[in-house]
Every structure is written in structure tokens, then in C-alpha cells.
Amino acid sequence: LETSGTDMLHFDVMDGRFVDNISFGIPVLEAIRKKTDLFLDVHLMISDPLHYAARFAKAGANGITFHLESESDPQKTIDAIHACGIPAGIVIKPNTPAEAVLPYLSSVEMVLVMTVEPGFGGQSFLHSTMPKLHQIRQWIDEQNPACELEVDGGVNVETAKICRDNGANVLVAGSAYFKAADPAAFVRAVKA
Ligand code: ZN
């Protein structure tokens, strides 16, 4: 795989229930695993992540994040991911309050703040999510400084800087990366 200086590959799983779109699942993850040693950051946009977490881990996920808005019990899902020996992350949608992450902040390795509504690529960045990102960064620094803070959706060179200024340290880019004339230059610009 040509990865242009990226640090991980973010893998968006959509089940047609939790979000109104279907992307790809376990066999595709297994196929990608065979092609790269890059960290595979699996983002489950599915209704029942507890049921599927172990299978995605077995397929090669290096880390799994799931939505607090899903139907699964969050702590049980975190524990199930940890039982596979990999880091666990929690995700919140744009309209979910920052406080939703607090009960789990000490037991996860990542918090992912969605900066668009999950389900489709190519959406515009929601600036309204930045105060929430900033608040969660403060809580992470106080309670679990090793925890990563990730953003996903509408990330380009301009919005990447805004996300970093508000505390994100892991940035997911989709459309902006794939549409860039020079993806490696895009990655350098985002990291600069
Ligand atoms: Zn994602």
C-alpha cells in the first residue's frame, strides 16, 4: 500500500443500521492486514460493537473505536477490546455532549470526536464541535494524559490546524487526502 507518510490507516466500518450506509467489514480488513504493517485504526460505526469487537481484532485491527451512541454497553465493549490485547477508544457524534465520555475516560486509550455526522465521506467540517474537543482535551490532561484525542471528518490542511489548536493529536483525513494531487505533500502540510 502507498501510504505517503501517514502514521496509521483509519478503517471506517458501517453496517447500514447505526449509519445509513454500508462500507466494508472483516474480510476487507483481513486483506488489508496482509498488505501493510501500518497501524490499523478500526472505527466501528455499527449498532452492536460488543458482538463484533473480537472478530475485528482477530482480523488484524491494532486498535478499535466504537460509538457511545451504539446499543452495546460501553464498559463491556471496552473490556472486550482490551481482552483482545489492543487499545480501545470511544467515539461521540457531533450532537453528543462532551460529558458522555467522562465515565470511561480513565479506561480508554483514545477518544474520537466526530467533526461531521458519521456515515458518509466528503462532508464539511463542523466548527461547532471545537469547544467540545477543547473541553475533552482538558479532561484528558487531568485524568488520563496518555489517552489520544482523535478527530474524524472534514479534515484538511486548514481544519487540521484548528483541531490541533483545540487539542487533537490524531487527525483522520479522507477526501482531502485522496483528492490531493500530491498526498505525501498533503500529509506533510497537515503535520507541519
Ligand atoms: Zn472514521
Side-chain angles (χ1 to χ4, degrees):
L1 286 181
E2 176 52 60
T3 51
S4 306
T6 51
D7 302 292
M8 54 172 68
L9 195 153
H10 185 81
F11 189 84
D12 280 327
V13 180
M14 306 177 191
D15 65 353
R17 282 184 67 211
F18 182 74
V19 293
D20 188 31
N21 197 10
I22 297 175
S23 58
F24 33 63
I26 292 162
V28 175
L29 183 64
E30 286 173 339
I32 292 173
R33 177 76 290 165
K34 290 179 186 150
K35 297 285 185 186
T36 183
D37 292 326
L38 211 58
F39 188 100
L40 297 180
D41 177 33
V42 173
H43 174 191
L44 297 180
M45 286 174 265
I46 68 177
S47 290
D48 191 359
L50 176 57
H51 184 70
Y52 289 101
R55 278 193 259 175
F56 278 97
K58 192 160 179 280
N62 295 108
I64 295 177
T65 61
F66 68 94
H67 277 265
L68 290 183
E69 304 90 351
S70 76
E71 292 166 10
S72 299
D73 178 84
Q75 193 60 55
K76 284 182 185 168
T77 308
I78 292 165
D79 294 344
I81 296 168
H82 284 161
C84 299
I86 59 173
I90 48 177
V91 191
I92 53 172
K93 298 202 280 188
N95 292 328
T96 300
E99 287 75 12
V101 306
L102 277 173
Y104 313 105
L105 202 52
S106 62
S107 53
V108 293
E109 288 73 37
M110 182 180 277
V111 174
L112 168 50
V113 173
M114 291 297 299
T115 41
V116 300
E117 286 296 331
F120 292 90
Q123 300 181 67
S124 295
F125 183 81
L126 295 172
H127 289 268
S128 58
T129 58
M130 290 299 98
K132 184 165 70 176
L133 185 68
H134 190 255
Q135 174 64 77
I136 293 172
R137 166 49 66 193
Q138 289 183 319
W139 289 334
I140 285 175
D141 287 348
E142 291 163 8
Q143 299 179 27
N144 184 4
C147 183
E148 314 258 29
L149 182 55
E150 181 176 44
V151 290
D152 184 9
V155 173
N156 55 35
V157 173
E158 176 195 330
T159 57
K161 182 179 187 317
I162 297 168
C163 291
R164 290 170 61 142
D165 288 347
N166 282 286
N169 70 310
V170 179
L171 309 173
V172 175
S175 300
Y177 174 87
F178 290 109
K179 287 179 182 168
D182 182 348
F186 171 79
V187 172
R188 286 194 299 273
V190 164
K191 289 183 174 185

